[in-house]
């Protein structure tokens, strides 16, 4: 069977999709991982044979909707798991309206859900499509499982030098993104997000207002902690869509601060003693890893956005209290996260079987009705190479260029943890495409 997996942000999605691809490849399938531009071009040229296209969302704009329509015309089935996920939201009504629609669901065979909350919310909003929603859990959550902690923990230079490390997770892409807030709003309007939900327009302006205040709160906190705690190393990690240079310019220059968002977040988390965050999905990752969480919440009145994530940690509203709690942790009185199994059980579907295996089983059912013809990969490589020379592809910073040796190392580590014996082939198709078979 041919499986095509779309990745938008490699820092966020690549590892989990490599796990999914490896499981499928070791069962005799051929899996292509690439970005939107590549799939759009190959589908337009009818160079992809029948198979399954697995995507990170089903609704964005007309361009993505047309891609799905054209895939189905070419005999390709579509499945999806929404990588935006809605984990930090208490109410998922706006999420279900802007990320899904009756029209978009017509072209999709299966939507895989993260947990009970999104599964029940989608079923309630789209009852006629309930057979398309499957509660499998998310591949990204597989890699939050403690058994994969050794996958992430590697030679971390900062951790080797500094015995005490605090990770500060930032989430300010609305006010510190590569695009201005005004440009983001124009794009959302053009993509009809606000037509699908007028409440979402109000929500995003409230979130932006909250972001502005928290941005300066975190600037003040980081400068204070780095000065008052010289023996602690602070790893400051901006969101992948944030401008790192902004933080480099506004934070004090000290030897115990590193500003970096290289690699996957789990790499930084697995080698850190404490996580400080506000309204981030990263709180869920830390909770599953049993990493102590401090939720820095100075003003919670602006919006309920992120409160669910904040409840997974110790909530503090004062930088002095944060320092005191960190000092206590490193002098023996360890921070203990609040036990909020109700939130985790509602948001994440986790059991003994990996979500990747559940998704692959669903793919096998869908694949029973698909005629399997192998793709001509050499021809595909040639066409993609020619189009790269012509500067056909738009610049895509979210999908980083493929490094085959790094991919092989990642696959090897995943194999070892899962005790898989066979070795999949890993072939670079282009700078933005990798084949696993």
């Amino acid at each position: 069977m041919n499986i095509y997996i779309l990745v938008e942000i490699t820092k966020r999605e690549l590892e989990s999709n490599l796990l999914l691809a490896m499981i499928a490849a070791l069962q005799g399938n051929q899996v292509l991982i690439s970005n939107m531009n590549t799939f759009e071009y190959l589908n337009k040229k009818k160079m992809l044979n029948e198979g399954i296209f697995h995507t990170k969302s089903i609704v964005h704009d007309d361009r993505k909707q047309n891609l799905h329509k054209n895939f189905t015309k070419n005999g390709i089935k579509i499945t999806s798991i929404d990588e935006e996920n809605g984990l930090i939201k208490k109410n998922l009504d706006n999420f279900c309206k802007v990320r899904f629609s009756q029209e978009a669901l017509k072209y999709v065979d299966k939507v895989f859900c993260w947990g009970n909350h999104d599964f029940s919310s989608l079923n309630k909003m789209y009852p006629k499509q309930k057979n398309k929603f499957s509660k499998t859990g998310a591949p990204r959550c597989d890699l939050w499982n403690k058994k994969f902690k050794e996958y992430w923990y590697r030679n971390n230079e900062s951790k080797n030098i500094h015995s005490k490390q605090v990770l500060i997770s930032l989430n300010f892409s609305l006010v510190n993104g590569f695009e201005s807030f005004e440009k983001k709003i124009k794009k959302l309007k053009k993509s009809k997000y606000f037509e699908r939900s007028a409440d979402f327009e109000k929500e995003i302006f409230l979130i932006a207002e909250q972001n502005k205040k928290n941005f300066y709160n975190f600037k003040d906190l980081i400068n204070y902690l780095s000065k008052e705690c010289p023996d602690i190393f602070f790893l400051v990690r901006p969101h992948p869509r944030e401008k790192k240079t902004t933080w480099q310019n506004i934070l004090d220059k000290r030897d115990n601060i590193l500003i970096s968002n290289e690699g996957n977040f789990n790499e930084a988390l697995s080698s850190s003693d404490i996580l400080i965050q506000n309204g981030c999905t990263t709180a869920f990752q830390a909770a599953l890893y049993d990493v102590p969480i401090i939720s820095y919440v100075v003003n919670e009145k602006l919006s309920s956005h992120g409160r669910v994530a904040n409840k997974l940690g110790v909530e503090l509203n004062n930088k002095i209290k944060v320092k005191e709690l960190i000092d206590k942790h490193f002098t023996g009185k360890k921070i203990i996260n609040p036990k909020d199994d109700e939130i985790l059980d509602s948001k994440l579907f986790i059991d003994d079987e990996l979500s990747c295996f559940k998704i692959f089983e669903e793919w096998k059912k869908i694949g029973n009705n698909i005629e399997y013809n192998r793709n001509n990969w050499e021809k595909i490589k040639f066409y993609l190479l020619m189009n790269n020379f012509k500067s056909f592809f738009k610049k895509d910073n979210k999908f980083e260029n493929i490094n085959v040796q790094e991919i092989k190392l990642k696959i090897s580590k995943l194999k070892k943890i899962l005790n898989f014996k066979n070795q999949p082939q890993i072939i670079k198709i282009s700078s933005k495409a990798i084949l696993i078979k």
Side-chain angles (χ1 to χ4, degrees):
M1 181 165 58
N2 299 309
I3 298 170
Y4 312 112
I5 299 179
L6 185 146
V7 167
E8 182 188 25
I9 302 174
T10 49
K11 283 185 174 71
R12 181 180 69 184
E13 304 154 31
L14 180 60
E15 260 91 2
S16 56
N17 280 311
L18 285 176
L19 175 60
L20 188 55
M22 180 184 71
I23 288 168
L26 291 177
Q27 296 294 322
N29 303 285
Q30 299 196 345
V31 187
L32 180 67
I33 297 177
S34 193
N35 64 353
M36 177 75 171
N37 292 328
T38 300
F39 284 122
E40 198 172 40
Y41 169 70
L42 293 176
N43 187 60
K44 183 180 179 181
K45 293 293 184 182
K46 294 185 170 57
M47 297 184 73
L48 297 176
N49 288 326
E50 295 88 343
I52 294 172
F53 175 66
H54 182 60
T55 182
K56 49 82 61 184
S57 64
I58 67 168
V59 172
H60 181 63
D61 53 18
D62 291 340
R63 179 188 173 200
K64 196 163 198 302
Q65 198 69 14
N66 289 333
L67 176 66
H68 292 178
K69 289 178 183 178
N70 290 327
F71 265 139
T72 56
K73 286 178 185 176
N74 292 340
I76 294 173
K77 306 288 186 179
I78 298 173
T79 67
S80 174
I81 186 161
D82 200 295
E83 295 290 0
E84 298 298 327
N85 63 60
L87 290 185
I88 64 173
K89 296 179 182 293
K90 185 175 182 180
N91 185 304
L92 292 182
D93 285 354
N94 284 336
F95 172 79
C96 292
K97 288 176 184 176
V98 301
R99 307 289 301 179
F100 301 84
S101 73
Q102 292 284 6
E103 176 66 18
L105 285 165
K106 290 179 185 178
Y107 303 99
V108 177
D109 284 74
K110 276 292 177 182
V111 172
F112 305 120
C113 298
W114 286 66
N116 290 313
H117 195 194
D118 60 336
F119 179 73
S120 60
S121 298
L122 286 166
N123 273 282
K124 183 179 178 181
M125 190 161 289
Y126 304 104
K128 293 181 180 179
Q129 307 280 6
K130 63 181 181 180
N131 64 312
K132 294 188 175 183
F133 304 120
S134 183
K135 189 171 65 175
T136 57
R140 276 168 63 193
C141 287
D142 287 344
L143 294 177
W144 301 349
N145 190 304
K146 288 178 184 176
K147 74 163 67 174
F148 287 99
K149 199 166 184 179
E150 65 179 275
Y151 172 83
W152 301 112
Y153 193 89
R154 60 186 188 181
N155 294 329
N156 185 300
E157 292 181 9
S158 64
K159 183 62 177 175
N160 289 339
I161 298 170
H162 305 276
S163 59
K164 303 173 185 177
Q165 180 166 298
V166 173
L167 173 60
I168 302 178
S169 178
L170 305 174
N171 189 23
F172 302 110
S173 59
L174 274 183
V175 296
N176 183 40
F178 294 105
E179 295 178 329
S180 68
F181 179 67
E182 291 73 22
K183 190 172 182 179
K184 286 186 175 73
I185 294 298
K186 284 181 181 178
K187 279 190 172 182
L188 290 171
K189 284 181 178 178
K190 186 178 179 181
S191 301
K192 302 174 184 176
Y193 274 65
F194 302 146
E195 286 183 27
R196 294 193 289 274
S197 173
D199 287 339
F200 177 66
E201 184 172 8
K202 298 174 187 175
E203 180 185 41
I204 200 163
F205 276 92
L206 279 173
I207 294 169
E209 184 184 352
Q210 179 177 308
N211 258 211
K212 286 178 186 176
K213 290 184 179 293
N214 284 334
F215 179 88
Y216 291 105
N217 290 335
F218 268 77
K219 172 200 168 187
D220 186 42
L221 174 71
I222 296 166
N223 283 334
Y224 172 77
L225 291 177
S226 63
K227 180 182 178 182
E228 297 297 323
C229 308
D231 62 329
I232 296 174
F233 187 78
F234 294 94
L235 179 54
V236 179
R237 187 176 174 91
H239 189 277
R241 293 182 182 177
E242 268 192 83
K243 289 185 287 189
K244 187 171 69 172
T245 52
T246 303
W247 292 101
Q248 291 170 335
N249 291 331
I250 66 173
L251 293 181
D252 295 338
K253 305 294 187 289
R254 294 197 176 95
D255 291 339
N256 63 335
I257 295 181
L258 174 66
I259 304 165
S260 172
N261 57 5
E262 293 302 311
N264 190 290
F265 178 83
N266 288 298
E267 293 173 2
L269 181 65
S270 65
S271 58
S272 297
D273 299 289
I274 299 170
L275 171 69
I276 300 177
Q277 65 84 46
N278 182 307
C280 293
T281 302
T282 56
F284 288 86
Q285 294 164 255
L288 293 180
Y289 273 168
D290 288 331
V291 174
I293 305 163
I294 296 175
S295 298
Y296 189 53
V297 186
V298 177
N299 189 333
E300 203 182 46
K301 295 179 181 178
L302 291 172
S303 167
S304 63
H305 184 78
R307 284 186 190 173
V308 174
N310 290 339
K311 290 184 181 300
L312 295 173
V314 178
E315 295 185 71
L316 298 175
N317 62 5
N318 182 289
K319 63 187 180 184
I320 297 173
K321 291 179 181 178
V322 173
K323 179 189 178 298
E324 289 173 352
L325 189 60
I326 291 173
D327 287 341
K328 287 178 182 177
H329 178 84
F330 286 119
T331 53
K333 192 174 181 181
K334 300 296 183 183
I335 298 170
I336 299 175
N337 294 331
K339 287 292 182 184
D340 213 322
D341 293 336
E342 185 179 343
I343 290 176
L344 294 174
D345 290 343
S346 168
K347 291 291 188 176
L348 305 175
F349 183 59
I350 298 173
D351 60 17
D352 293 335
E353 184 182 22
L354 294 180
S355 298
C356 284
F357 285 114
K358 296 190 184 82
I359 288 173
F360 179 66
E361 288 303 313
E362 294 288 349
W363 281 351
K364 286 201 295 186
K365 294 174 190 174
I366 296 169
N368 287 334
N369 300 318
I370 298 175
E371 185 177 349
Y372 180 34
N373 295 306
R374 291 180 182 271
N375 290 301
N376 186 335
W377 295 112
E378 289 303 316
K379 184 178 179 181
I380 288 172
K381 282 175 73 173
F382 176 77
Y383 269 76
L384 290 178
L385 180 63
M386 290 300 101
N387 277 283
N388 269 328
F389 283 144
K390 295 175 186 177
S391 301
F392 175 86
F393 296 115
K394 296 177 182 177
K395 192 174 181 181
D396 184 358
N397 292 322
K398 293 187 285 187
F399 193 106
E400 298 163 310
N401 287 345
I402 294 296
N403 183 316
V404 174
Q405 293 309 313
E406 281 189 9
I407 299 290
K408 287 181 177 179
L409 177 61
K410 292 175 191 296
I411 293 285
S412 177
K413 289 164 72 176
L414 291 170
K415 267 184 55 195
K416 182 180 178 182
I417 291 169
L418 295 175
N419 200 28
F420 288 169
K421 303 302 180 186
N422 294 334
Q423 175 65 41
Q425 284 183 270
I426 301 162
I427 302 166
K428 183 177 179 179
I429 301 297
S430 77
S431 62
K432 303 287 186 183
I434 191 85
L435 172 67
I436 302 173
K437 65 176 185 173

